[in-house]
Amino acid sequence: MNSITVDIEKLQREIDALALITEATPPVVTRVLFSEADLRGRAFVKNLCREAGLVLREDAVGNMFARWVGTDQNLPAVATGSHIDAIPNAGKYDGVVGVLGALEAIRALQAAGFQPQRSIELIVFTAEEPTRFGIGCLGSRLLGGVLSLERAAALRDCAGRDLEFWLMQGGCAGSLPSVKLAGDCYAAFVELHIEQGPLLEAENLDIGIVEKIAAPSSLRLQLTGVGGHAGATLMPGRRDALLAGAEIALAVEHAATTSGSLDTVGTTGIFRIAPGAVNSVPCEAYLEIDLRDTQVATRDAALAQIENRAAAICQRRGIKLALQRVNVDPPAICNAPLVQTVEQVCHKLQIAATKLTSHAYHDALFMAPVCPTTMIFIPCRGGVSHRPDEYSSPAQIQIGVRVLAEILAAV
Ligand code: HGY
Ligand code: MN
Ligand code: MN
């Protein structure tokens, strides 16, 4: 095989082009599951995969698979990939670097004359972001069989539309049970992703090799109080759903900041009220809470504290509380030999790398129980992500793709 050269100019043009496929106004990127922009983004990526001569298929929930067929079909493939869906007000690198960068890693290997023995498969996972149904990693959960078909069928978006409705919108075909991967389908899964944190930049490192992915959880709370006229409803006896929600949001912050662990992070990312008139006492409040930690015990203790506080707050304020645990997931421990292979590649290429824990979750979290898994992180400016000013430089992306190409050839 000749030397591997990453065409970073071509890759950057593709990243920039995909960023223009958005529900928002560029440079803001928003692509929610099976929205018109998400469908255009998927078509854009599929075309690039076809141009690279990859064999495409899509499963019943829209996970996309683009395979470079190897010479030995009996060997399990090596997989890579990430997501192209994006939350509201997002940037253009989260997920996309792991999809278009993986495609460029494959093209670089093709150009170097590499002929894979085991197939190399690029996966574009459906709905890594939780925006549509409130649960993240929908596609990889179903691939790994960790989301029951009953739970999947019961998912609803904020307008009450179910998964079937959105699968129709996405043009998906097939049955949900067919999505689950067979046990020995992949020899390894390696996901390239921006760090979404400050460590690599702060320590002037080029690559992070993920050993562990933090344990995510999320809650949905529907608070029902009693509305009324803002002028005529005196303060004593009010049952203001917004104020109960506000106390709960502060309880989330308190649980996270007093857990004893800096890794406990709690966010009330969605807080809607009704009826939403300045002269009407809020009778409804809807909250979505995201809580994580690298240690399950600490996360679970904080979660229980939040649930208990929410119940007590609503009890005291005469508010009806409907609380749902949307997901409570274990952390993922990445495959040590695979981590070591990435370390050796970085050493061979004289790339400054370190092992680390991912505080963000990724599809790799649900691929880890399926096959040996790790992630390759590249720095992002100021550790910023889930914002339009998210940024990784072409040079940083090029190094990540270069390392990924070596890994795909080495596994
Ligand atoms: O929220 C996360 O950790 C991921 O970026 N979806
Ligand atoms: Mn994200
Ligand atoms: Mn991501």
Side-chain angles (χ1 to χ4, degrees):
M1 174 169 74
N2 304 323
S3 66
I4 299 171
T5 306
V6 172
D7 184 344
I8 187 56
E9 289 74 22
K10 177 180 172 66
L11 173 53
Q12 189 62 59
R13 286 196 301 273
E14 291 166 351
I15 291 171
D16 295 345
L18 182 51
L20 298 176
I21 302 177
T22 171
E23 296 163 43
T25 306
V28 177
V29 177
T30 301
R31 275 191 302 269
V32 182
L33 176 68
F34 295 146
S35 67
E36 183 271 338
D38 183 44
L39 295 175
R40 278 192 296 126
R42 286 164 166 267
F44 175 80
V45 171
K46 278 189 261 192
N47 282 337
L48 292 178
C49 290
R50 282 192 199 95
E51 284 169 12
L54 306 185
V55 177
L56 276 162
R57 75 176 180 88
E58 210 162 318
D59 70 13
V61 291
N63 290 306
M64 292 168 15
F65 303 83
R67 179 167 288 220
W68 181 9
V69 180
T71 54
D72 186 345
Q73 299 287 308
N74 298 320
L75 288 174
V78 56
T80 182
S82 192
H83 62 98
I84 63 164
D85 63 314
I87 66 169
N89 200 47
K92 65 180 178 179
Y93 299 94
D94 175 4
V96 168
V97 163
V99 171
L100 297 181
L103 177 59
E104 176 52 28
I106 289 170
R107 291 185 307 218
L109 287 170
Q110 290 173 337
F114 177 71
Q115 177 51 56
Q117 205 185 358
R118 58 171 87 248
S119 300
I120 296 176
E121 186 140 85
L122 165 57
I123 307 174
V124 184
F125 295 92
T126 273
E128 189 273 351
E129 298 293 2
T131 312
R132 182 63 76 203
F133 294 113
I135 189 167
C137 299
L138 176 62
S140 49
R141 286 175 190 270
L142 288 166
L143 285 171
V146 296
L147 184 72
S148 75
L149 301 181
E150 296 71 30
R151 274 289 320 273
L155 292 173
R156 294 292 181 275
D157 71 2
C158 55
R161 290 166 299 201
D162 64 6
L163 178 60
E164 195 178 340
F165 170 87
W166 284 108
L167 293 180
M168 295 268 283
Q169 294 293 105
C172 298
S175 69
L176 279 188
S178 66
V179 172
K180 188 172 183 302
L181 292 170
D184 56 356
C185 56
Y186 292 122
F189 173 72
V190 184
E191 180 171 2
L192 175 64
H193 205 285
I194 59 172
E195 180 197 345
Q196 298 178 303
L199 186 145
L200 294 177
E201 183 183 64
E203 301 197 6
N204 202 20
L205 294 166
D206 298 315
I207 293 292
I209 309 167
V210 176
E211 292 183 292
K212 183 174 185 182
I213 302 171
S217 66
S218 67
L219 300 173
R220 274 180 162 173
L221 291 82
Q222 184 65 47
L223 308 181
T224 307
V226 175
H229 191 289
T233 312
L234 302 182
M235 296 311 283
R238 277 193 178 193
R239 288 160 60 186
D240 184 326
L242 178 145
L243 294 179
E247 276 200 71
I248 291 169
L250 289 171
V252 171
E253 180 190 46
H254 181 77
T257 51
T258 58
S259 74
S261 157
L262 193 59
D263 286 342
T264 315
V265 284
T267 311
T268 302
I270 292 176
F271 192 157
R272 290 195 284 262
I273 64 164
V278 68
N279 56 349
S280 177
V281 176
C283 56
E284 297 281 345
Y286 173 77
L287 287 75
E288 288 191 18
I289 294 166
D290 178 306
L291 180 80
R292 317 180 192 198
D293 194 286
T294 52
Q295 303 300 327
V296 179
T298 318
R299 192 273 313 273
D300 288 352
L303 195 60
Q305 186 185 342
I306 290 164
E307 291 170 330
N308 295 336
R309 291 284 305 119
I313 289 162
C314 289
Q315 168 100 40
R316 172 167 47 82
R317 285 179 170 272
I319 301 290
K320 184 165 153 280
L321 167 64
L323 182 148
Q324 179 198 5
R325 287 188 167 195
V326 177
N327 65 288
V328 181
D329 300 296
I333 305 300
C334 294
N335 178 268
L338 192 56
V339 168
Q340 198 176 23
T341 304
V342 182
E343 275 186 300
Q344 288 160 353
V345 164
C346 291
H347 181 72
K348 179 183 114 181
L349 298 176
Q350 296 181 316
I351 289 170
T354 186
K355 293 185 283 188
L356 47 65
T357 294
S358 172
H359 288 83
Y361 62 72
H362 304 278
D363 292 303
L365 178 66
F366 297 99
M367 290 299 285
V370 173
C371 64
T373 292
T374 188
M375 297 185 75
I376 299 169
F377 277 178
I378 62 171
C380 52
R381 186 175 57 201
V384 162
S385 182
H386 283 189
R387 281 176 16 192
D389 56 335
E390 175 183 278
Y391 178 78
S392 287
S393 71
Q396 291 168 332
I397 296 169
Q398 183 167 16
I399 291 171
V401 173
R402 180 76 182 76
V403 170
L404 179 62
E406 289 277 349
I407 296 299
L408 295 177
V411 172

